[in-house]
Amino acid sequence: MLELEFDYSLIKKIQSLNITTDSNQIGNLLNEYNRNEVDRLFDLVSSSCSDVNNLALKLNGIKIFQSLGEEIFIRFGKGNKGNLYLSDITKYNSLLSDADAFANSTSVQTHAKVNVSEYDKFIHTITAYWIYRIRCSIAHFKIGEYILTRDKEEFIVEFAEPLIKEVLIQFYKK
């Protein structure tokens, strides 16, 4: 559903233009559309998900799947591409060892070395990137990607679905 919003969002932006005065803007919008999926997903999450506290609570759900999260989000992650905040295993494990973890900007500052002023962006970035990585682990099913199999259903049901559902609720509530 969120991927369909990439197209719909572009259509709405083009429709809102005054073609007689903004003809170059269509080219700019199309160039922007060509960015990678995780960047476009971040734009949707950051522009539509204002309840960062609920997102943070859903992100904290990764704690019971910490080692699996490490595999999907870091070891099989694509370096810093889309995950500029939490691509280091040490930071990841340090943050998850904190009782508050994502739900507290001080924890994020201490363990992930993120300025308090960037807390909302951090939560939006991690949310978008982790949803993207989960999607890749299901959709691509190829060497080089973590492959989510049936035996990881608990991870999907207890962590991935609640996180994605929270994003969808906030997105469609706007």
Side-chain angles (χ1 to χ4, degrees):
M1 288 176 61
L2 290 173
E3 285 187 49
L4 291 173
E5 288 298 332
F6 296 161
D7 296 336
Y8 186 63
S9 173
L10 176 66
I11 290 167
K12 287 192 304 189
K13 287 177 182 176
I14 290 173
Q15 288 175 336
S16 72
L17 292 176
N18 179 346
I19 300 300
T20 58
T21 60
D22 293 335
S23 59
N24 287 330
Q25 290 300 317
I26 291 175
N28 290 336
L29 290 172
L30 291 174
N31 286 335
E32 188 177 297
Y33 182 79
N34 286 327
R35 293 179 307 154
N36 66 41
E37 292 168 334
V38 73
D39 289 340
R40 291 186 288 168
L41 184 54
F42 169 78
D43 286 346
L44 289 176
V45 169
S46 63
S47 66
S48 303
C49 298
S50 58
D51 189 345
V52 176
N53 294 330
N54 274 344
L55 290 176
L57 291 173
K58 300 302 185 222
L59 290 173
N60 273 344
I62 194 64
K63 287 179 160 201
I64 60 174
F65 305 102
Q66 186 168 342
S67 61
L68 180 56
E70 183 178 307
E71 287 290 312
I72 296 170
F73 307 133
I74 298 173
R75 293 180 196 256
F76 278 84
K78 303 302 179 189
N80 284 341
K81 187 177 181 183
N83 187 18
L84 60 120
Y85 290 113
L86 205 55
S87 60
D88 177 82
I89 290 173
T90 305
K91 286 181 184 177
Y92 171 84
N93 287 323
S94 178
L95 179 62
L96 293 186
S97 70
D98 189 303
D100 292 329
F102 294 96
N104 185 317
S105 61
T106 304
S107 297
V108 168
Q109 181 181 27
T110 302
H111 300 290
K113 309 298 183 217
V114 173
N115 291 330
V116 174
S117 63
E118 291 190 19
Y119 176 71
D120 288 4
K121 184 178 180 184
F122 171 81
I123 296 297
H124 289 139
T125 299
I126 297 302
T127 299
Y129 183 71
W130 285 8
I131 289 172
Y132 174 74
R133 292 300 310 137
I134 292 165
R135 176 220 173 267
C136 290
S137 296
I138 295 168
H140 293 164
F141 209 74
K142 65 180 184 179
I143 294 174
E145 291 288 348
Y146 184 88
I147 299 172
L148 270 172
T149 53
R150 285 193 188 280
D151 63 324
K152 304 297 188 278
E153 183 176 3
E154 191 176 340
F155 168 80
I156 295 295
V157 171
E158 293 183 27
F159 172 69
E161 286 179 357
L163 178 63
I164 294 166
K165 186 176 180 178
E166 181 62 33
V167 169
L168 290 171
I169 287 169
Q170 289 192 38
F171 185 82
Y172 288 108
K173 191 186 273 188
K174 61 176 177 148

